[in-house]
Amino acid sequence: MKKRKGRKLLRLLLLLGLLCGLLLADQRILVADRYEIPIRELPASFDGLRIVQLSDLHGAEFGTDNSRLLEKVRREKPDLIALTGDFVASAGDLPVFGKLLPRLQEIAPCYYVSGNHEWACGMMEGVSSALRENGVTYLNNRWVFLERGGERLCLCGVDDPNSLAGMITPGELIRQLREQEGDMPTVLLGHRNDWPEKWPELDVDAILCGHAHGGIIRIPGVTGVLGTGRSLFPPYTAGLHTSGRYTMAVSRGLGNIHCIPRVFNCPEIMVLTLKKAE
């Protein structure tokens, strides 16, 4: 009888150990997920442009001074790095962000848009200073042009809705872009993942965003379970989605601020390759 109880206890302990190991792995193992984004009229010089997208770090560190994260990004050989918000959620996160920026810039030019937490925690001024000091382009409701072989691609970005009142809307920004520069392939960076609901016909070719944290808990091969607004089975938690003329790439993000741990949802480096649509 005692032997049977001992075996049951041992099995239970082994099962608990396995579950704890899986939970720990889901918080610390970095994965690189690769996708291709088709773009109509993509200039030949930009066919194959490689973008690493990082999102929702929330002050997390992967190795000393994020050495594991940096090495993973470096291996992907990006042409540019898109930082899509929520890197800083408290004053304590700012030093982590400040150390990370120059090292990312050494790998490839970085472009940043704000998330809701940078504004909510009152650290946007410090974030802006860190971006300036390290030469990172802050796309605060504006656009820039990438140039290759005499051809251009437009990269634009919008501040999170948590930012200053009365700021320009995404629709107004793109309207101004078209009025001033005409029609051209355009990639938009914006933190939140509700673009198909709020701007389903926005005149851009691709949108890079995060915010969803992959749904926190994922059902393998199916979907995320929890929305950032505490809804169940929310849409657009990860991967590629199509709306109107654009493809939206939703990063599962890197960190976590929720009391519920990430499950079947390893921190993600999103690797996006632009391809000329057939």
Side-chain angles (χ1 to χ4, degrees), residues 5 20 22 51 105 176 184 189 204 208 235 237 243 251-252 254 257 268:
K5 287 183 178 179
C20 288
L22 287 172
I51 302 172
Q105 273 286 94
Q176 289 181 10
M184 68 176 62
L189 310 186
V204 297
L208 278 53
T237 58
S243 177
S251 168
R252 297 201 314 273
L254 293 160
I257 58 166
E268 179 186 49

Side-chain angles (χ1 to χ4, degrees), residues 95-149:
V96 175
F97 188 53
K99 289 179 181 179
L100 181 62
L101 287 176
R103 294 172 184 180
L104 287 174
Q105 273 286 94
E106 290 173 0
I107 299 171
C110 297
Y111 298 84
Y112 165 91
V113 290
S114 63
N116 54 299
H117 279 279
E118 282 96 345
W119 294 100
C121 72
M123 296 304 299
M124 199 60 227
E125 184 176 344
V127 168
S128 298
S129 296
L131 297 169
R132 285 193 301 272
E133 289 168 6
N134 292 289
V136 175
T137 301
Y138 176 15
L139 293 174
N140 51 337
N141 305 310
R142 65 189 185 95
W143 63 81
V144 296
F145 295 109
L146 308 179
E147 297 191 2
R148 274 185 165 192

